[in-house]
């Protein structure tokens, strides 16, 4: 059932309480998600975005309960990704001649995925559509936030920014608005979303936010495509994004390791001890990557000023768990963080050098050549690990 957002705007999306993995298996969603779709009923009736395709039939049936589909004057597709466009084929089967407003890149992504040729109306930043009652929609292209096709739509009069993925969170709730949900949970999901999805595009985030603020239009609400609508002080999430986009870090050091026979685990724990000895205030967290949620670990990396990674040498390289997280870290292009590597080995011992090189390619300032322990760490090696931790605390 639809829920009132403001004035003549109704939420007609889907709350997905049971979602635990998103983007295939790439993103953990411990708290589910929502796919937000909005119906505007002014002089013209406008549908903004749809929902993920498993819910397409349910979505269209519910929408029929809100409006005669033939009365929809236009559809806005802010983004072509399947979680927002997935119900378009089902919807457009019912209203094949209804215009679809989107960016030129969204025409490519929508055609590429659905192989249909709907009545596309391509829009650019600053283009407007009069929707009657003295109100209009203004489109703002948001390329690479986070796909080339992304855009936001601003509704004058009610001053709502339909921001699509930007400012969203994977957070299932029936409560619709930010002021009605648990703030700690909400902000945890916001920073996880930013860290795992938007980090590579931080320079664009800053630029785009400045551009939108530069328009000088009031923003009473930010209606995202996932999670809550920012109704209470929407500027707060814009300010957070500006902070996160600017080489963000807290007084934290994260240690990520993998281990086969516990040698590298022992190293990790002694290194953590050394950090704490040197700096009683810094937050140190230690993760066995094989037993941890990688997206939660990425969030910790995002919040950290330094990251220490450890793996035993196997097959002349690192464990598959360590390779996986380093591949992910490299793709996210973190900026302004320091790093170092450590690990046990039995004979050849290439892992530390490989991890150091990987970290450097990923944009970290590698603090030293790393530390290796032959076989299981003995007393002398334990001492070196503690010292390595002290130096990491001092150097980060
Ligand atoms: Fe929520 Fe980029 O889709």
């Amino acid at each position: 059932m639809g829920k009132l957002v403001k004035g003549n705007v109704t939420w007609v999306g889907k709350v997905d309480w049971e979602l635990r993995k998103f983007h295939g298996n790439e993103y953990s969603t411990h708290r589910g998600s929502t796919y937000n779709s909005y119906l505007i009923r002014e002089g013209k009736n406008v549908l903004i975005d749809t929902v993920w395709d498993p819910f397409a039939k349910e979505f269209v049936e519910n929408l029929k309960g809100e409006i005669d589909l033939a009365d929809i004057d236009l559809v806005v597709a802010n983004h072509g990704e399947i979680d927002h466009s997935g119900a378009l084929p089902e919807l457009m089967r019912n209203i094949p001649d209804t215009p679809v407003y989107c960016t030129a890149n969204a025409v490519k992504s929508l055609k590429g995925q659905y192989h249909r040729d709907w009545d596309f109306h391509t829009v650019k930043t600053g283009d407007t559509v009069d929707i009657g009652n003295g109100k209009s929609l203004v489109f703002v292209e948001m390329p690479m936030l986070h796909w080339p096709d992304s855009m936001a739509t601003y509704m004058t009069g009610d001053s709502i920014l339909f921001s699509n993925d930007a400012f969203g969170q994977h957070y299932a709730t029936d409560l619709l608005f930010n002021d009605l949900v648990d703030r700690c949970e909400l902000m945890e999901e916001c920073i996880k979303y930013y860290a795992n999805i938007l980090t590579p595009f931080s320079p664009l985030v800053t630029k785009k936010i400045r551009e939108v603020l530069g328009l000088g239009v009031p923003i009473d609400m930010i209606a995202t495509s996932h999670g809550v609508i920012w109704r209470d002080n929407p500027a707060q999430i814009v300010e957070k994004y500006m902070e996160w986009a600017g080489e963000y870090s807290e007084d934290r050091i994260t240690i990520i390791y993998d281990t086969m026979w516990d040698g590298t685990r022992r190293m990790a724990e002694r290194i953590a001890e050394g950090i704490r000895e040197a700096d009683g205030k810094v937050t140190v967290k230690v993760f066995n990557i094989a037993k941890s949620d990688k997206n939660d670990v990425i969030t910790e990396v995002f919040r950290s000023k330094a990251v220490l990674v450890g793996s035993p040498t196997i097959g002349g390289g690192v464990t598959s768990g360590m390779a996986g997280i380093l591949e992910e870290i490299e793709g996210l292009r973190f900026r302004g963080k320091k790093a170092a590597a450590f690990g046990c080995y039995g004979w050849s011992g290439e892992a530390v050098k490989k991890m150091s090189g990987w970290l450097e390619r990923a944009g970290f300032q590698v603090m030293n050549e790393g530390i290796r322990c032959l076989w299981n760490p003995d007393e002398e090696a334990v001492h070196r690990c503690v010292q390595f931790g002290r130096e990491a605390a001092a150097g980060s």
Side-chain angles (χ1 to χ4, degrees):
M1 293 301 291
K3 294 176 196 158
L4 177 65
V5 174
K6 183 183 184 193
N8 296 317
V9 180
T10 309
W11 177 94
V12 289
K14 171 69 186 175
V15 179
D16 190 350
W17 290 100
E18 69 173 32
L19 187 78
R20 289 296 175 269
K21 291 284 181 181
F22 186 75
H23 282 157
N25 276 311
E26 285 302 298
Y27 189 109
S28 60
T29 46
H30 307 313
R31 296 186 173 104
S33 192
T34 75
Y35 317 108
N36 298 337
S37 170
Y38 301 97
L39 180 63
I40 303 171
R41 280 171 283 203
E42 297 288 352
K44 284 183 181 168
N45 298 314
V46 182
L47 183 74
I48 298 194
D49 294 321
T50 68
V51 301
W52 190 25
D53 60 2
F55 304 106
K57 282 196 187 312
E58 177 183 336
F59 168 76
V60 171
E61 281 311 306
N62 286 342
L63 193 58
K64 283 178 183 168
E66 292 289 331
I67 189 170
D68 182 342
L69 298 185
D71 290 340
I72 296 176
D73 295 290
L74 62 125
V75 175
V76 173
N78 275 326
H79 177 30
E81 196 162 8
I82 296 92
D83 49 329
H84 309 296
S85 66
L88 264 183
E90 180 68 19
L91 176 69
M92 299 309 288
R93 248 192 299 280
N94 289 269
I95 47 172
D97 300 324
T98 302
V100 176
Y101 284 66
C102 62
T103 63
N105 278 325
V107 175
K108 288 184 202 163
S109 60
L110 291 170
K111 280 188 178 177
Q113 292 174 117
Y114 305 116
H115 312 293
R116 312 273 162 80
D117 198 9
W118 297 311
D119 180 18
F120 290 112
H121 288 227
T122 58
V123 295
K124 297 194 198 72
T125 296
D127 287 352
T128 62
V129 173
D130 187 338
I131 56 171
N133 300 337
K135 299 177 186 178
S136 57
L137 300 179
V138 184
F139 303 106
V140 183
E141 291 169 281
M142 310 266 276
M144 297 319 294
L145 297 177
H146 67 124
W147 272 20
D149 67 8
S150 301
M151 72 170 183
T153 300
Y154 177 74
M155 180 183 176
T156 67
D158 291 298
S159 306
I160 302 173
L161 181 70
F162 297 95
S163 62
N164 197 262
D165 282 331
F167 312 120
Q169 339 84 42
H170 287 302
Y171 185 50
T173 175
D174 275 328
L175 298 173
L176 205 60
F177 297 108
N178 68 307
D179 50 300
L180 301 181
V181 302
D182 183 296
R183 183 172 165 77
C184 289
E185 286 186 358
L186 174 61
M187 294 317 291
E188 266 181 28
E189 295 303 335
C190 284
I191 196 167
K192 178 177 177 180
Y193 192 93
Y194 190 97
N196 282 271
I197 296 176
L198 290 167
T199 299
F201 313 116
S202 284
L204 297 173
V205 169
T206 310
K207 197 165 157 248
K208 187 51 69 175
I209 288 176
R210 288 203 179 112
E211 184 187 317
V212 172
L213 296 180
L215 297 174
V217 294
I219 297 177
D220 281 0
M221 279 187 189
I222 297 177
T224 67
S225 60
H226 294 294
V228 296
I229 295 167
W230 298 92
R231 168 176 75 175
D232 175 46
N233 184 19
Q236 66 179 294
I237 190 62
V238 179
E239 284 157 14
K240 274 287 169 203
Y241 265 46
M242 288 299 272
E243 200 183 330
W244 292 337
E247 299 197 7
Y248 182 77
S249 70
E250 300 170 18
D251 190 18
R252 283 173 176 262
I253 299 176
T254 296
I255 301 176
I256 308 166
Y257 71 94
D258 203 349
T259 195
M260 293 166 71
W261 296 108
D262 280 341
T264 305
R265 175 179 65 76
R266 290 190 188 100
M267 290 184 77
E269 290 172 1
R270 295 291 80 77
I271 292 167
E273 193 180 303
I275 296 170
R276 280 192 292 269
E277 276 181 22
D279 183 346
K281 288 191 183 149
V282 66
T283 300
V284 187
K285 288 199 179 182
V286 183
F287 297 92
N288 179 329
I289 191 59
K291 299 182 182 181
S292 304
D293 181 287
K294 72 183 174 77
N295 303 107
D296 292 341
V297 172
I298 289 291
T299 310
E300 296 291 338
V301 171
F302 178 72
R303 297 178 65 182
S304 296
K305 59 184 181 181
V307 182
L308 306 178
V309 300
S311 170
T313 296
I314 175 169
V318 302
T319 64
S320 58
M322 181 52 64
I325 196 74
L326 286 174
E327 176 71 13
E328 187 124 357
I329 285 173
E330 184 180 4
L332 287 166
R333 303 200 285 276
F334 291 105
R335 294 178 301 156
K337 299 186 189 297
K338 296 185 176 174
F342 62 94
C344 280
Y345 69 106
W347 48 100
S348 55
E350 296 93 336
V352 168
K353 198 170 176 191
K354 282 204 167 179
M355 287 185 287
S356 297
W358 209 327
L359 290 164
E360 204 165 311
R361 286 195 301 283
F364 288 81
Q365 185 189 329
V366 177
M367 293 184 279
N368 52 50
E369 63 183 15
I371 183 174
R372 299 192 307 170
C373 288
L374 182 61
W375 300 113
N376 207 6
D378 59 11
E379 206 172 310
E380 179 275 333
V382 163
H383 178 74
R384 281 197 296 129
C385 289
V386 173
Q387 186 56 28
F388 181 79
R390 288 192 195 117
E391 286 167 13
S396 58

